[in-house]
Amino acid sequence: MIRYLTAGESHGEALIGVVEGVPAKLSLSADDINEHLARRWLGYGRGGRSKIENDKVHIYSGIRFSETLGSPISFRIDNGAYKKDRAGWPEVMAVEGPPPEDLERVTLPRPGHADLAGMQKYEFDDIRPVIDRSSARETAMRVACCSVARRLLNAFGIEVGSHVVRIGDVGYDASEEWREEVNALIREGGASAVYRAADESATRMLSEEMTERCVEHIEATKKARDSLGGIYEVVVTGVPVGLGSYVQWDRRLDGKLVQAICSIQAQKAAEIGDGVRNAYRPGSKVHDPILPGEERSVSRGGYARRSNHAGGIEGGVSNGMPITVRGYMKPIPTLIKPLDSVDTATQEAQPTRYERSDITSVPAASTVAEATVALVIANAFLEKYGGDSIPEIRRHVEADDA
Ligand SMILES: Cc1cc2nc3c(=O)[nH]c(=O)nc-3n(C[C@H](O)[C@H](O)[C@H](O)COP(=O)(O)O)c2cc1C
């Protein structure tokens, strides 16, 4: 099983990550990871920090001559803001010594952030530590750690991609509106073709017309000093039948995927396949009819399905169809327009102050979701076919295919 831990404050010197449980002899380089770190900065509507950061991973251990060793892999990503900002972060975030005499404590919690609950929980009189660790800056290291899982999946023909389907008021209502296009991309080049096509769009959408409308919507929202959330879909292709299980609650693949999406900052709901809409439809319009193997198109199982409303999972088990999981992101909680709050030092009512922030981060969140989904699928894959090295796992897969 692959596990990872991240450490680091958003305005501290660097982010640190340790990934454990990666089999030996997986080909892996810093470039494999940096590609996805760069994709995390994609998307119209990003704030000033996107101009400061140039995320590159530094690998310290676990890899030799571009192959994993089976030992823990450790990473570092420097925070560009630490030195490039004018805010004096080396003093404000100093690891040692007393606080500077002129330190300005943050005492005005922002609604929608971890600020108030966090300072109460840890008994801080300064919100800075809460802001700095609860920030989605952490997702840079998550993407790095989970990109290792993505490489493992790629070695066995399993690919992960995503595309955005809604930003605020603008977007699609039902998967029927994009499913054919996604299936065409899958036939062309698996889920990687889906993410590459989406990366061409300023909002990571598969339609030019929808992209333009979304860009206008983001601009109008910025003028209104507000922020936006949205919905994206993660697609996984080449998934063998039988990952996950129905025999115990904590082995269900669907449950693990929903948890993975909602573990990302600001992701407040997730659905497997057409989960939400399926609740409104009769069963005859939901359950995917089973077809003979010859009619297989995007399925890796012995049978095909006329539709994929189940998102490739039935009974908590992968059924060979592409896995689709959608994430729902709330609007960014830092608004240009002030919100009501209370200064915790004086107990006086005060409007929040705007700090550098995105108007929307749905395109970025979709790339983070790809990474977290990759980790869940990789672990389910290792549970079924696991081994200490890639050649050993390959023997297990081939034995199963035979
Ligand atoms: C990729 C990404 C980028 C984000 N960028 C911002 C941002 O610029 N400003 C902001 O206020 N929140 C941003 N957020 C959301 C906050 O991190 C999140 O809402 C906050 O930490 C509170 O956590 P919660 O929403 O899970 O309760 C971002 C989230 C993600 C996933």
CSV table of all heavy atoms in Angstrom, one decimal, residues 235-260:
chain,number,residue,atom,x,y,z
A,235,VAL,N,-11.6,10.9,-14.8
A,235,VAL,CA,-11.9,9.7,-15.6
A,235,VAL,C,-10.7,8.8,-15.5
A,235,VAL,O,-9.5,9.3,-15.6
A,235,VAL,CB,-12.1,10.1,-17.1
A,235,VAL,CG1,-12.4,8.8,-17.9
A,235,VAL,CG2,-13.2,11.1,-17.3
A,236,VAL,N,-10.9,7.5,-15.2
A,236,VAL,CA,-9.8,6.6,-15.2
A,236,VAL,C,-10.1,5.5,-16.2
A,236,VAL,O,-11.2,4.9,-16.1
A,236,VAL,CB,-9.7,6.0,-13.8
A,236,VAL,CG1,-8.3,5.2,-13.6
A,236,VAL,CG2,-9.8,7.0,-12.7
A,237,THR,N,-9.1,5.2,-17.1
A,237,THR,CA,-9.3,4.2,-18.1
A,237,THR,C,-8.3,3.1,-18.0
A,237,THR,O,-7.3,3.2,-17.3
A,237,THR,CB,-9.2,4.8,-19.5
A,237,THR,OG1,-7.9,5.4,-19.6
A,237,THR,CG2,-10.3,5.8,-19.8
A,238,GLY,N,-8.7,1.9,-18.5
A,238,GLY,CA,-7.8,0.7,-18.5
A,238,GLY,C,-7.9,0.0,-17.1
A,238,GLY,O,-7.0,-0.8,-16.8
A,239,VAL,N,-8.9,0.3,-16.3
A,239,VAL,CA,-9.0,-0.3,-15.0
A,239,VAL,C,-9.5,-1.7,-15.1
A,239,VAL,O,-10.5,-2.0,-15.7
A,239,VAL,CB,-10.1,0.5,-14.1
A,239,VAL,CG1,-10.0,0.0,-12.7
A,239,VAL,CG2,-9.8,2.0,-14.2
A,240,PRO,N,-8.7,-2.7,-14.6
A,240,PRO,CA,-9.2,-4.1,-14.7
A,240,PRO,C,-10.4,-4.3,-13.8
A,240,PRO,O,-10.7,-3.5,-12.9
A,240,PRO,CB,-8.0,-4.9,-14.1
A,240,PRO,CG,-7.1,-3.9,-13.5
A,240,PRO,CD,-7.5,-2.5,-13.9
A,241,VAL,N,-11.2,-5.3,-14.2
A,241,VAL,CA,-12.4,-5.7,-13.4
A,241,VAL,C,-11.9,-6.2,-12.0
A,241,VAL,O,-10.8,-6.9,-11.9
A,241,VAL,CB,-13.1,-6.9,-14.1
A,241,VAL,CG1,-14.3,-7.4,-13.2
A,241,VAL,CG2,-13.6,-6.4,-15.4
A,242,GLY,N,-12.6,-5.8,-10.9
A,242,GLY,CA,-12.3,-6.5,-9.6
A,242,GLY,C,-11.5,-5.7,-8.7
A,242,GLY,O,-11.0,-6.3,-7.7
A,243,LEU,N,-11.3,-4.4,-8.9
A,243,LEU,CA,-10.6,-3.6,-7.8
A,243,LEU,C,-11.6,-3.2,-6.8
A,243,LEU,O,-12.7,-2.8,-7.2
A,243,LEU,CB,-9.9,-2.3,-8.4
A,243,LEU,CG,-8.9,-2.6,-9.5
A,243,LEU,CD1,-8.1,-1.3,-9.8
A,243,LEU,CD2,-8.0,-3.7,-9.3
A,244,GLY,N,-11.3,-3.2,-5.6
A,244,GLY,CA,-12.3,-2.9,-4.5
A,244,GLY,C,-13.1,-4.2,-4.2
A,244,GLY,O,-12.9,-5.2,-4.8
A,245,SER,N,-14.0,-4.1,-3.2
A,245,SER,CA,-14.8,-5.2,-2.9
A,245,SER,C,-16.1,-4.8,-2.2
A,245,SER,O,-16.1,-3.8,-1.5
A,245,SER,CB,-14.0,-6.2,-2.0
A,245,SER,OG,-14.9,-7.3,-1.7
A,246,TYR,N,-17.1,-5.7,-2.3
A,246,TYR,CA,-18.4,-5.4,-1.6
A,246,TYR,C,-18.4,-6.1,-0.3
A,246,TYR,O,-19.4,-6.0,0.5
A,246,TYR,CB,-19.6,-5.9,-2.5
A,246,TYR,CG,-19.4,-7.4,-2.9
A,246,TYR,CD1,-19.7,-8.4,-2.1
A,246,TYR,CD2,-18.9,-7.6,-4.2
A,246,TYR,CE1,-19.5,-9.7,-2.5
A,246,TYR,CE2,-18.6,-8.9,-4.6
A,246,TYR,CZ,-19.0,-10.0,-3.7
A,246,TYR,OH,-18.8,-11.3,-4.1
A,247,VAL,N,-17.4,-6.9,0.1
A,247,VAL,CA,-17.5,-7.8,1.2
A,247,VAL,C,-17.3,-7.0,2.6
A,247,VAL,O,-17.7,-7.6,3.6
A,247,VAL,CB,-16.5,-9.0,1.2
A,247,VAL,CG1,-16.7,-9.8,0.0
A,247,VAL,CG2,-15.0,-8.5,1.3
A,248,GLN,N,-16.8,-5.8,2.5
A,248,GLN,CA,-16.6,-5.1,3.8
A,248,GLN,C,-16.7,-3.6,3.5
A,248,GLN,O,-16.2,-3.1,2.5
A,248,GLN,CB,-15.3,-5.4,4.4
A,248,GLN,CG,-15.1,-5.1,5.9
A,248,GLN,CD,-16.1,-5.9,6.7
A,248,GLN,OE1,-17.2,-5.3,7.1
A,248,GLN,NE2,-15.9,-7.1,7.1
A,249,TRP,N,-17.3,-2.8,4.4
A,249,TRP,CA,-17.5,-1.4,4.1
A,249,TRP,C,-16.3,-0.6,3.7
A,249,TRP,O,-16.3,0.2,2.8
A,249,TRP,CB,-18.2,-0.7,5.3
A,249,TRP,CG,-17.3,-0.6,6.5
A,249,TRP,CD1,-17.1,-1.5,7.5
A,249,TRP,CD2,-16.4,0.5,6.8
A,249,TRP,NE1,-16.2,-1.0,8.4
A,249,TRP,CE2,-15.8,0.2,8.0
A,249,TRP,CE3,-16.2,1.8,6.2
A,249,TRP,CZ2,-14.8,1.1,8.6
A,249,TRP,CZ3,-15.2,2.6,6.8
A,249,TRP,CH2,-14.6,2.3,8.0
A,250,ASP,N,-15.2,-0.9,4.4
A,250,ASP,CA,-14.0,-0.1,4.1
A,250,ASP,C,-13.2,-0.7,2.9
A,250,ASP,O,-12.0,-0.2,2.7
A,250,ASP,CB,-13.1,0.0,5.4
A,250,ASP,CG,-12.7,-1.3,5.9
A,250,ASP,OD1,-13.1,-2.4,5.4
A,250,ASP,OD2,-11.9,-1.3,6.9
A,251,ARG,N,-13.7,-1.6,2.2
A,251,ARG,CA,-13.0,-2.1,1.0
A,251,ARG,C,-13.7,-1.6,-0.3
A,251,ARG,O,-13.3,-1.9,-1.4
A,251,ARG,CB,-12.9,-3.6,1.0
A,251,ARG,CG,-12.0,-4.1,2.2
A,251,ARG,CD,-11.8,-5.6,2.2
A,251,ARG,NE,-11.3,-6.1,0.9
A,251,ARG,CZ,-11.2,-7.4,0.6
A,251,ARG,NH1,-11.6,-8.3,1.5
A,251,ARG,NH2,-10.7,-7.8,-0.5
A,252,ARG,N,-14.8,-0.9,-0.1
A,252,ARG,CA,-15.5,-0.4,-1.3
A,252,ARG,C,-14.8,0.7,-2.0
A,252,ARG,O,-14.4,1.7,-1.4
A,252,ARG,CB,-16.9,0.1,-0.9
A,252,ARG,CG,-17.9,-1.0,-0.4
A,252,ARG,CD,-19.2,-0.4,-0.1
A,252,ARG,NE,-19.8,0.1,-1.3
A,252,ARG,CZ,-20.8,-0.4,-2.0
A,252,ARG,NH1,-21.4,-1.5,-1.5
A,252,ARG,NH2,-21.3,0.1,-3.1
A,253,LEU,N,-14.6,0.5,-3.3
A,253,LEU,CA,-13.8,1.5,-4.1
A,253,LEU,C,-14.5,2.8,-4.2
A,253,LEU,O,-13.9,3.9,-4.1
A,253,LEU,CB,-13.5,0.9,-5.5
A,253,LEU,CG,-12.5,1.7,-6.4
A,253,LEU,CD1,-11.2,1.7,-5.7
A,253,LEU,CD2,-12.4,1.0,-7.7
A,254,ASP,N,-15.9,2.8,-4.3
A,254,ASP,CA,-16.6,4.1,-4.5
A,254,ASP,C,-16.4,4.9,-3.2
A,254,ASP,O,-16.2,6.1,-3.3
A,254,ASP,CB,-18.1,3.8,-4.8
A,254,ASP,CG,-18.7,2.6,-4.1
A,254,ASP,OD1,-18.1,2.1,-3.1
A,254,ASP,OD2,-19.8,2.2,-4.5
A,255,GLY,N,-16.6,4.3,-2.0
A,255,GLY,CA,-16.4,5.0,-0.8
A,255,GLY,C,-15.0,5.7,-0.7
A,255,GLY,O,-14.9,6.8,-0.2
A,256,LYS,N,-14.0,4.9,-1.1
A,256,LYS,CA,-12.6,5.5,-1.0
A,256,LYS,C,-12.5,6.7,-1.9
A,256,LYS,O,-11.7,7.6,-1.6
A,256,LYS,CB,-11.6,4.4,-1.3
A,256,LYS,CG,-11.5,3.3,-0.3
A,256,LYS,CD,-10.5,2.3,-0.7
A,256,LYS,CE,-10.5,1.2,0.4
A,256,LYS,NZ,-9.5,0.1,0.1
A,257,LEU,N,-13.1,6.6,-3.1
A,257,LEU,CA,-12.9,7.7,-4.1
A,257,LEU,C,-13.6,9.0,-3.6
A,257,LEU,O,-13.0,10.1,-3.7
A,257,LEU,CB,-13.4,7.3,-5.4
A,257,LEU,CG,-12.6,6.3,-6.2
A,257,LEU,CD1,-13.3,5.7,-7.4
A,257,LEU,CD2,-11.3,6.9,-6.6
A,258,VAL,N,-14.8,8.8,-3.0
A,258,VAL,CA,-15.5,10.0,-2.5
A,258,VAL,C,-14.7,10.6,-1.4
A,258,VAL,O,-14.5,11.9,-1.3
A,258,VAL,CB,-16.9,9.6,-2.0
A,258,VAL,CG1,-17.6,10.8,-1.3
A,258,VAL,CG2,-17.8,9.2,-3.2
A,259,GLN,N,-14.1,9.8,-0.5
A,259,GLN,CA,-13.3,10.4,0.6
A,259,GLN,C,-12.1,11.1,0.0
A,259,GLN,O,-11.7,12.2,0.5
A,259,GLN,CB,-12.8,9.2,1.5
A,259,GLN,CG,-12.3,9.7,2.9
A,259,GLN,CD,-10.9,10.1,2.9
A,259,GLN,OE1,-10.1,9.7,2.1
A,259,GLN,NE2,-10.5,11.0,3.8
A,260,ALA,N,-11.5,10.5,-1.0
A,260,ALA,CA,-10.3,11.1,-1.6
A,260,ALA,C,-10.6,12.5,-2.1
A,260,ALA,O,-9.8,13.5,-1.9
A,260,ALA,CB,-9.7,10.2,-2.7
